[in-house]
Amino acid sequence: MLNGGLCQCGGVQEIHDSLATGDYFGAAIVTQWDSRQHSSEYPTDAFGELEFAGAGRRHSYFVRLSCDTSPQIIYTLMTTHWGLPSPNLVVSVVGGEGHEKIKPWVRAILRKGLVRAAQSTGAWILTGGLREGVSRCVGEAVKENVAAASAVSQKKVIAIGVTPWGLVHNRQQLVNAQGSFPARYYVQNTTRDTYCLDNSCQAFLLVDNGSVGQRGGETAFQDNLEDYISHQRTGIWGSGSIEIPVLCMLISGEASMLERLDTSLKKATPWLVFAGSGPAADFITDLVAVILSPTPLAVDGEAVKGVSAEFCDRVCEKIRKHFPAETELEKLVDTALSIYQRRELITVFHGEQEGADDFDTVLLKALVRASKRLSSMASECTEELKLAVAWNRVDIAKAELFNGDIHWKYEDLEDSMTDALINNKPQFVRLFCENGLNILNYLTNQRLESLYCSLSDSLLAYILLQRHLSERQSLAGSQPSVDGVALGTMKTFHVEVNTGASAMDLSLYEVSRLLQDLLGDICEPFYYGALGLDPRMGTRKTLKQVNKILQGECTYRNQRSLSPWAALFIWAVLQNRSEMAIYFWEMAGESVLGALGACKILRELSKLENETESKLSMKQLAQRFENLANDVFGECYQSSESRSFTLLIRKSPVWGGATCLEMATAADARLFFSHDGVQSLLSQIWWGDMERSTEVWKLILSFFMPPLIYTDLISFREPEEEVKPSAVYHIRDSDSVGGNDATVFSIADIIQSEEDLEELKTLKEKFKDSMQTNSKRPFIMSRWRQFWYAPVTSFLGNVLMYFLFLCLFAYVLLVDFKSPPPEGPSSLEFVLYFWVFTLVCEEIRQTFFGGSLFLLQRMKKYIQDHWNKCDLTAILLFLLALVCRMFPWSFNVGRAVMAIDYMVFTLRLIHIFAIHKQLGPKIIILGKMVKDVFFFLFFLGVWLMAYGVAHQALLFAYDPRPKWIFRRVFYRPYLHIFGQIPFHEMDTDKLEELDCTYNHTEIEAGAEPCLSTYANWLVVILLVIYLLFTNIVLVNLLIAMFSYTFSKVQEHSDIYWKFQRYNLIVEYHSRPCLAPPFIIFSHLHILIKRHIRQIPSVKSQHFAVKLQGRKASRLNTWEAVQKENLLCAQNKQQRESDTARLQRTSVKVDSVLKQMAEIRDHDRRLRLLETQLEYCCSALSWMTDALSQSNVVTTNRPPPLHKDVTPLPPS
């Protein structure tokens, strides 16, 4: 075992303990050292983070491990604990060890081809990890890529060094049994036996087999690691459609590399060999090119049988040619024959001729060629597609697979589509949908649930879904569950996506609950129809029903999704995937409402998100969707005004009956509300049947003199205009899909089936009935309704009557507020009480009789409005004052509360002026300034208390009276701000003689304490500092805050006002036409008409209309056409932008440079060919001269003479 002073392991004899050298082996002589038999394992003493001194880069990870360590442990360590992203490809670069010189063209391919391909595919590069040979070239290429890559680049090249521990220079710097965080490593010039670590690797696996200064100890572990990784799946949580491809790359290499190659090939690992790079690579190139005799080769583990002797001799010749120093020829021949039997796994790359361009395509072809041998059932194109999806290389897929030569079937694209969806590859999703994948057949409810199961556990949406899931599971309790059986038919990757039972139990109900939380009450619950649930049921009953459904057969899971594009759109929005969400939005219908819905979801999620970066990206994507909604509606408004109005108030069955206006209000889409089309519709609703240009004074005059409405003072639209949109719209379609309002269809053009005929007949009957109804209504009644039912009339009536109410309130409070009964209240006070009673009736109507929501939901919606809170406060204060004023002992309290209540009622008047274009934004500014005042008061209170306590302590040595302490600590310093400063107490020269005492007992008895003059000078200094800080610093701070708020709101005052105007119009549109106190008659009318006679409201259709059948279909088609027009215009604008032009110019320049490189290469080859031809000509000339001078050949004619061809002059 010993050879001089060194052991066969490469270590010095003295470092081995006695157990290894004497006690265990005794006198036995060991001829061959074996790592497994002659070494012992101990817990690792080198692990943690590695810092390269002077490198100036982030830390690398490292661990010292045994050569037989389980690869599963190491792979989990790298992906889970070290945080390395799971690879889509693993490229293991081997060969070129030691001080071997690497050829320039190999360096170019590593730099331009391998690293670029690794970055584009998300690959790991396994190298030797040392600064020597090929490993050093790969490290330099990685460092160049990191330096050139953008700081915000999502994909980083990950290089992992699998290094023999015994070859690492200064390895003792890494040893620390407790772990090094970090270990500082110094790179130095090394000897021929050791090499320094390469600082370009993100991780180092230091394999120790007991040897020192010897290679090959890491080979077995690296083979096992590559084999283990090749059985893991790509994608998030291993959700990809293929296993991680592993490719070994052979560059140069010695004879010992053949055994490594043979072992790896037996595990079906494909290899890419660089022809012309060195001995081992050149030998494999020649070996694969050998044409085998017809005699078949038998594959067995040890020997190769049935091979002709001639073939073995040819292989032996090639071994002698490439490895002249090798002596064990028979062993090398057997290894070579074993390699030859698996030559289908070997791809030869002639890099010197092909270059580094499209090297990723070379890798793809090599892996596809290997996959054909491994799976005879697999299609070559399908495997190539799966690899392209795993690498996210849509350019390869378009150029190689979707160029029109291959007819793709739905079954071929199904798994790849799921892989692209889960792993966020929208370009592939678009490509599949354009090339044969039917989304209607693809998206079933079961697959939609599996997509939600695949959410990353770090997403906010996943956390919220799990909360709802735990709520349902807690209600289910110990009920037996058969969900596992129901989900057992899912694809294999679904089980691997989330292995926990909680994720497998996730259903569409949890998704519906999440959307209900985010969208609020404007939408009916999603997916209730698919689950067979009743939206009117309570939450607890619904949970029980869902548990019962999921414990059954779950037949709903096999059904197709009714709106697949919308479902995928919501799924992408919940994950904040911008590019994929934009694509699904483009494909889904109802573009305006969909964009506003996404805006609402994202803004609600951003409020719940804690991470700043995610919150910001959500807000940016929400603003982008709001801009899209605004742009699409602008296109629609330019095309057809009437249809754009219908688009705003149409109830969507996809979005739970919501309208665009309701969704925009919930999403706080102020930019959308500022659009002229939205404001035009609001103005039309606001003025009712009156002309929008009507002056306000005419309305006020008609309000006090109603007979004027029957004159020409106010212009009204004709009653027929009111009938046509509601009754004739189905019969006469005056708006074409393209937006041409001049096209009129006849009845014969529309009728195409018996169903249409029946629909037309029904519409005619309704039209006749409506005409008869309108004809029966006299002119006096119709004009009366047109005037008083307009929201603007209701608004003016409420304003005038509210002013009258405030005047009555003030008169009663100041003049006619009589004593308690029996003397009071007065008759006017009873009128005031009745007036407030009608106000209470109106608030009750708004709370309990508005909309179709549940009672608790209506109360919640009512209380969320700030002005409703003001109304509620005023009414409660009035009731309190009313009760108190009825009793003598609380009369004064009641009068005081009544006075405070008058202030609240008066402040409520501010809301009325929100409709004014100039005053409306000022109200918003006022509200924001109130928030600023609170911050100012906080700072002022802190400084006030600090100065007040010090002021009191310095002036009065002892004064325990609480009332005076409060006055001097808070009240008096507050008055100092406004100049009320008592100099006679602070200045000793102006002290007045008062009857005071220093006796504590007398002071406690009520005597006035005397002023302390000890630190009077300090009081004056504190007063100066206090006034300086409050009057200058704090007041100017408040002014600056007010100025910022004013400028910020004033800059977008028009947008703020238009958004606020909508809420006011909706409020007065829903109010009865009469104002308090006469509103009581309207309440009685509504009670009889709506709740007793069950007559629906016509005014409700002004803000929400339900379309069905052909009308809804045509509106959706028209909206889709306008969206396509907008997208085409945007794409054209983007193509004509300077950035796009620069990109096209860059591509053209790259193409020219590539052609110039090819021309230079051709020129070099032509020069080489000319040199060879010149040599051949010289040789032939020499042979001719020699033969002519000898007697070997006799001829009757002399040799031919060389004719000089003179080039023709240019014409």
Side-chain angles (χ1 to χ4, degrees), residues 1097-1163:
S1097 174
V1098 179
K1099 292 177 65 176
S1100 62
Q1101 297 182 2
H1102 294 167
F1103 279 102
V1105 60
K1106 188 175 183 180
L1107 303 182
Q1108 292 179 345
R1110 175 170 295 177
K1111 187 175 180 181
S1113 176
R1114 287 183 176 178
L1115 186 64
N1116 290 333
T1117 304
W1118 171 76
E1119 183 186 7
V1121 170
Q1122 308 312 316
K1123 177 184 64 177
E1124 291 298 328
N1125 294 338
L1126 173 67
L1127 294 177
C1128 291
Q1130 290 180 347
N1131 292 334
K1132 182 179 179 181
Q1133 184 179 2
Q1134 185 178 2
R1135 288 194 302 269
E1136 294 177 354
S1137 64
D1138 295 339
T1139 304
R1141 290 180 179 178
L1142 287 175
Q1143 290 178 351
R1144 291 195 295 270
T1145 304
S1146 176
V1147 171
K1148 293 178 181 178
V1149 170
D1150 291 341
S1151 177
V1152 171
L1153 292 176
K1154 184 178 180 180
Q1155 293 178 2
M1156 292 294 296
E1158 293 178 354
I1159 292 174
R1160 287 195 297 268
D1161 184 58
H1162 292 162
D1163 182 67

Side-chain angles (χ1 to χ4, degrees), residues 939-955:
F939 291 112
L940 180 62
V942 172
W943 189 243
L944 200 70
M945 184 174 179
Y947 169 74
V949 172
H951 177 270
Q952 171 71 6
L954 292 173
L955 287 181

Side-chain angles (χ1 to χ4, degrees), residues 855-1058:
L855 179 61
L856 292 177
Q857 293 175 336
R858 289 197 294 265
M859 294 178 63
K860 181 181 178 182
K861 184 178 180 181
Y862 172 83
I863 206 67
Q864 285 176 348
D865 187 82
H866 297 294
W867 293 111
N868 287 337
K869 296 177 183 177
C870 182
D871 292 337
L872 192 59
T873 302
I875 291 172
L876 292 177
L877 287 176
F878 191 89
L879 293 177
L880 177 62
L882 176 61
V883 173
C884 291
R885 67 101 54 228
M886 293 299 176
F887 304 97
W889 57 272
S890 60
F891 175 78
N892 291 327
V893 176
R895 193 172 188 277
V897 175
M898 193 76 75
I900 300 298
D901 191 37
Y902 179 80
M903 292 182 58
V904 179
F905 272 113
T906 307
L907 292 176
R908 181 66 173 84
L909 195 63
I910 296 176
H911 177 53
I912 297 176
F913 298 105
I915 195 67
H916 198 270
K917 190 171 184 178
Q918 279 72 35
L919 294 179
K922 302 301 184 294
I923 296 174
I924 299 175
I925 294 174
L926 185 62
K928 292 183 177 293
M929 284 183 175
V930 171
K931 297 179 181 179
D932 295 337
V933 168
F934 281 109
F935 289 104
F936 168 78
L937 291 178
F938 170 75
F939 291 112
L940 180 62
V942 172
W943 189 243
L944 200 70
M945 184 174 179
Y947 169 74
V949 172
H951 177 270
Q952 171 71 6
L954 292 173
L955 287 181
F956 298 94
Y958 181 74
D959 188 2
R961 296 173 296 178
K963 182 171 63 175
W964 283 94
I965 290 177
F966 178 80
R967 284 184 177 184
R968 290 167 180 162
V969 170
F970 293 102
Y971 181 61
R972 182 175 289 183
Y974 179 74
L975 295 179
H976 289 177
I977 300 175
F978 304 99
Q980 297 185 16
I981 303 173
F983 293 101
H984 63 278
E985 294 183 1
M986 298 181 180
D987 194 349
T988 55
D989 296 335
K990 297 183 179 181
L991 289 178
E992 300 177 357
E993 294 184 2
L994 299 174
D995 186 11
C996 60
T997 180
Y998 290 99
N999 192 314
H1000 290 189
T1001 305
E1002 296 179 359
I1003 293 175
E1004 291 176 357
E1008 181 71 19
C1010 293
L1011 293 172
S1012 175
T1013 59
Y1014 173 74
N1016 187 265
W1017 60 273
L1018 187 56
V1019 174
V1020 177
I1021 294 177
L1022 290 180
L1023 176 64
V1024 172
I1025 297 174
Y1026 170 71
L1027 293 177
L1028 177 68
F1029 189 83
T1030 54
N1031 289 13
I1032 297 179
V1033 178
L1034 288 182
V1035 173
N1036 282 278
L1037 173 64
L1038 182 63
I1039 295 173
M1041 294 169 64
F1042 283 172
S1043 301
Y1044 173 75
T1045 302
F1046 180 84
S1047 60
K1048 183 179 179 182
V1049 178
Q1050 189 67 24
E1051 184 180 358
H1052 304 93
S1053 60
D1054 188 62
I1055 296 177
Y1056 279 98
W1057 170 73
K1058 289 177 178 179

Side-chain angles (χ1 to χ4, degrees), residues 377-396:
M377 298 296 293
S379 171
E380 178 182 359
C381 298
T382 304
E383 293 299 320
E384 189 171 355
L385 175 62
K386 291 180 179 179
L387 287 172
V389 173
W391 298 353
N392 199 18
R393 293 301 304 271
V394 70
D395 53 339
I396 295 179

Side-chain angles (χ1 to χ4, degrees), residues 37 471 579 632 856:
Q37 297 181 8
E471 180 182 353
E579 189 175 353
V632 174
L856 292 177

Side-chain angles (χ1 to χ4, degrees), residues 11 75 97 102 169 196 262 305 402 412 554 586 613 634 645 650 818 890 942 1018 1048 1079 1165 1170:
Y75 183 75
E97 300 170 342
I102 306 301
H169 181 67
C196 289
D262 182 36
K305 302 178 181 178
F402 293 93
D412 300 330
C554 299
E586 293 175 359
E613 186 175 352
F645 290 167
R650 180 240 352 236
K818 295 185 178 181
S890 60
V942 172
L1018 187 56
K1048 183 179 179 182
I1079 199 173
R1165 293 184 182 182
E1170 289 177 357

Side-chain angles (χ1 to χ4, degrees), residues 79-148:
T79 56
T80 303
H81 299 281
W82 290 352
L84 300 182
S86 299
N88 296 322
L89 168 69
V90 175
V91 179
S92 182
V93 183
V94 296
E97 300 170 342
H99 297 277
E100 181 180 353
K101 186 177 181 180
I102 306 301
K103 297 182 178 181
W105 64 268
V106 176
R107 291 175 178 269
I109 291 176
L110 293 177
R111 184 177 66 256
K112 299 180 180 179
L114 174 61
V115 175
R116 188 183 304 170
Q119 184 180 20
S120 63
T121 57
W124 284 2
I125 301 179
L126 300 184
T127 69
L130 300 174
R131 294 174 57 85
E132 48 101 15
V134 173
S135 299
R136 184 167 189 166
C137 295
V138 174
E140 292 174 353
V142 170
K143 282 188 286 189
E144 289 181 7
N145 177 269
V146 171

Side-chain angles (χ1 to χ4, degrees), residues 562-599:
L562 298 178
S563 304
W565 291 116
L568 291 175
F569 172 62
I570 294 174
W571 174 78
V573 168
L574 288 174
Q575 298 179 84
N576 195 24
R577 294 181 174 180
S578 58
E579 189 175 353
M580 187 171 288
I582 292 294
Y583 170 67
F584 289 143
W585 173 81
E586 293 175 359
M587 300 302 296
E590 303 181 1
S591 308
V592 178
L593 183 57
L596 293 174
C599 179

